[in-house]
């Protein structure tokens, strides 16, 4: 029977050399296949006597079982090895830190706008929002700035499609159009509520004071370290029967001192010109402490609302008087955080922005 033992040994050796399932199946064919070594031995049994056939057959069967079991062992071993490789390739290192999204935060200019809203809110001012694409009427004409007015050249702006040649649409150059938009709505509301059958175009009845701020984006053809084509403004408007420059000064001084958390901050109202106010003043502030101490810094324009503008609000200038101001939240942000280049606010660099969280 040594021939059978040899075959079994050779088969086992061939199987253990097979490195892949395909090699193994090829090796199997050599021993168990139709033309394999064992099959050949079976065929050779035809010439044997009945007794010899029995014992030879039993021996061949034992050899066959031994080869099949070696084959199955090797199949399992190869399958396990393959699985192991696959698991290694797809391995997850559960000890690695997860990939996280930061919590994010508010933009420094947004922080300023929120601050402005809350300070003026505490002084009884509403907050109004308006469109960034404006009509020529609200941006200029209604604000006492007619077509050929020299002040329009300072406001060279971005005109957009829509509107007509004589009344084009444009990106608003300031938030002042919101003075008209807000006042017109306010007047309409109280005029209707008063129930008076008043046919005059200008309202001179009773209404609560207008006290509003209107923050938002504005646009101009301007770009350098302190000017950006898109920038922010915040308009303020206070209209009533008994409002004076003194009130404006008081409110704005209070605002600046609260905003900058500085009780000794000094304000200066410097005569200036705006078509929609008369008289007009530029508002400068001066810190008494810190790196900017002693310098006058311009933060807003202001003035008494021009009677023509009061009329365009639908109000009788004989009865109502208004005060307005327009300030630059970008500039307030630069002063508050000591930032010297406005463009940093709009570059979107996370290294800069994350410092304000
Ligand atoms: N709209 C002006 C500008 O953009 C700023 C301004 C000045 C607004 C005086 C006002 C004001 O309300 O009274 O330059």
């Amino acid at each position: 029977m040594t021939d059978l033992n040899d075959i079994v040994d050779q088969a086992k050796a061939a199987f253990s050399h097979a490195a892949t399932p395909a090699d193994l199946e090829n090796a199997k064919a050599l021993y168990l296949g139709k033309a394999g070594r064992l099959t050949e031995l079976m065929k050779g049994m035809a010439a044997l006597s009945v007794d010899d056939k029995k014992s030879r057959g039993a021996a061949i069967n034992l050899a066959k079982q031994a080869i099949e079991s070696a084959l199955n062992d090797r199949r399992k071993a190869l399958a396990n090895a393959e699985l192991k490789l696959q698991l290694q390739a797809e391995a997850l290192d559960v000890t690695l830190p997860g990939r996280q999204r930061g919590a994010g935060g508010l933009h420094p200019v947004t922080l300023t706008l929120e601050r402005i809203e809350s300070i003026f809110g505490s002084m009884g001012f509403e907050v109004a929002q308006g469109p960034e694409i404006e009509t020529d009427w609200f941006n200029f004409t209604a604000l006492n700035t007619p077509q050929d007015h020299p002040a329009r050249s300072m406001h060279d702006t971005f005109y957009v499609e829509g509107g007509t040649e004589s009344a084009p649409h444009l990106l608003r150059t300031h938030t002042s159009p919101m003075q008209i938009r807000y006042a017109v709505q306010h007047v309409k509301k109280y005029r209707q509520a008063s129930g008076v059958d008043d046919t005059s175009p200008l309202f001179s009845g009773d209404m609560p004071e207008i006290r509003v701020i209107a923050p938002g984006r504005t646009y101009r053809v301007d770009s350098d370290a302190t000017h950006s084509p898109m920038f922010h403004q915040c308009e303020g408007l206070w209209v009533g029967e008994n409002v004076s420059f003194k009130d404006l000064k008081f409110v704005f001084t209070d605002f600046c001192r609260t905003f900058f958390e500085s009780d000794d901050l000094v304000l200066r109202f410097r005569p200036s010109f705006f078509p929609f106010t008369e008289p007009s003043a530029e508002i400068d502030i001066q810190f008494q402490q810190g790196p900017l101490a002693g310098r006058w810094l311009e933060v807003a324009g202001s003035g008494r609302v021009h009677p023509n503008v009061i009329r365009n609000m639908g109000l009788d200038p004989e009865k109502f008087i208004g005060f307005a101001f327009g300030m630059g939240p970008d500039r307030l942000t630069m002063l508050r955080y000591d930032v010297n280049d406005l463009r940093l606010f709009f570059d979107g660099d996370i290294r800069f922005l994350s410092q304000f969280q």
Side-chain angles (χ1 to χ4, degrees):
M1 293 300 162
T2 49
D3 58 339
L4 281 175
N5 289 340
D6 285 349
I7 292 177
V8 171
D9 286 346
Q10 286 164 16
K12 284 183 178 169
F15 293 164
S16 65
H17 280 122
T20 66
D23 287 350
L24 184 60
E25 295 314 308
N26 286 339
K28 170 198 160 190
L30 287 180
Y31 295 91
L32 300 175
K34 267 186 196 155
R37 305 264 304 270
L38 277 191
T39 322
E40 290 299 318
L41 289 181
M42 301 266 225
K43 284 180 195 158
M45 289 197 331
L48 298 180
S49 67
V50 177
D51 281 350
D52 283 351
K53 263 188 196 159
K54 248 193 190 158
S55 57
R56 182 73 176 158
I60 293 179
N61 263 338
L62 278 180
K64 194 177 169 195
Q65 279 165 13
I67 292 176
E68 278 173 344
S69 113
L71 175 69
N72 282 333
D73 287 350
R74 186 63 186 153
R75 273 188 183 143
K76 275 188 204 145
L78 284 179
N80 279 340
E82 198 175 17
L83 184 66
K84 207 167 156 187
L85 277 179
Q86 203 179 343
L87 287 176
Q88 265 166 6
E90 293 170 5
L92 284 181
D93 183 348
V94 292
T95 64
L96 281 177
R99 272 181 225 148
Q100 299 179 348
R101 262 165 206 255
L106 294 177
H107 191 281
V109 174
T110 306
L111 293 172
T112 293
L113 290 172
E114 289 194 341
R115 209 169 156 76
I116 293 173
E117 289 174 19
S118 96
I119 297 171
F120 275 103
S122 74
M123 298 194 275
F125 281 71
E126 299 256 312
V127 179
Q129 304 274 350
E132 289 168 31
I133 296 179
E134 260 302 359
T135 62
D136 191 78
W137 165 259
F138 284 112
N139 198 78
F140 293 121
T141 315
L143 292 166
N144 203 33
T145 316
Q147 200 66 247
D148 53 355
H149 197 288
R152 283 199 180 202
S153 60
M154 294 195 295
H155 285 222
D156 209 3
T157 185
F158 301 99
Y159 287 87
V160 298
E161 285 180 5
T164 61
E165 191 162 338
S166 61
H169 288 174
L170 46 88
L171 296 181
R172 65 179 179 188
T173 58
H174 50 181
T175 44
S176 302
M178 279 308 290
Q179 289 189 30
I180 307 289
R181 284 185 179 276
Y182 184 86
V184 164
Q185 290 306 317
H186 183 94
V187 171
K188 202 166 137 190
K189 186 165 148 197
Y190 290 103
R191 203 173 173 144
Q192 274 167 6
S194 75
V196 181
D197 187 17
D198 177 5
T199 47
S200 91
L202 300 178
F203 183 60
S204 56
D206 290 336
M207 70 166 199
E209 286 188 344
I210 294 174
R211 251 184 258 172
V212 66
I213 59 164
R217 279 185 282 268
T218 49
Y219 302 84
R220 279 189 214 174
V221 185
D222 245 349
S223 189
D224 59 38
T226 51
H227 296 90
S228 141
M230 188 288 297
F231 59 105
H232 296 84
Q233 277 199 344
C234 181
E235 197 73 12
L237 177 68
W238 188 353
V239 180
E241 293 175 39
N242 262 317
V243 192
S244 72
F245 228 114
K246 187 185 68 190
D247 298 309
L248 173 72
K249 270 184 144 173
F250 177 81
V251 158
F252 209 84
T253 303
D254 205 26
F255 162 73
C256 289
R257 289 185 177 160
T258 310
F259 183 88
F260 289 109
E261 295 164 279
S262 163
D263 286 339
D264 54 5
L265 189 82
V266 178
L267 277 80
R268 169 173 90 176
F269 285 69
R270 182 165 39 88
S272 183
F273 171 79
F274 298 101
F276 34 89
T277 44
E278 177 59 36
S280 306
E282 219 76 68
I283 306 177
D284 301 335
I285 60 169
Q286 191 189 70
F287 294 99
Q288 306 307 307
Q289 282 143 42
L292 296 166
R295 280 173 54 193
W296 285 110
L297 308 157
E298 185 184 314
V299 292
S302 68
R304 185 195 62 143
V305 180
H306 195 286
N308 288 346
V309 178
I310 292 283
R311 278 190 201 93
N312 289 332
M313 292 170 176
L315 292 171
D316 180 355
E318 296 292 325
K319 171 150 179 167
F320 292 102
I321 186 164
F323 288 86
F325 55 86
M327 58 184 155
D330 304 330
R331 188 158 165 105
L332 294 183
T333 314
M334 290 173 79
L335 292 174
R336 178 150 190 251
Y337 296 111
D338 202 9
V339 174
N340 55 16
D341 193 332
L342 175 69
R343 289 167 293 198
L344 287 166
F345 290 141
F346 308 123
D347 284 345
D349 188 331
I350 213 82
R351 290 168 302 179
F352 173 73
L353 297 174
S354 60
Q355 296 176 62
F356 299 89
Q357 303 320 316

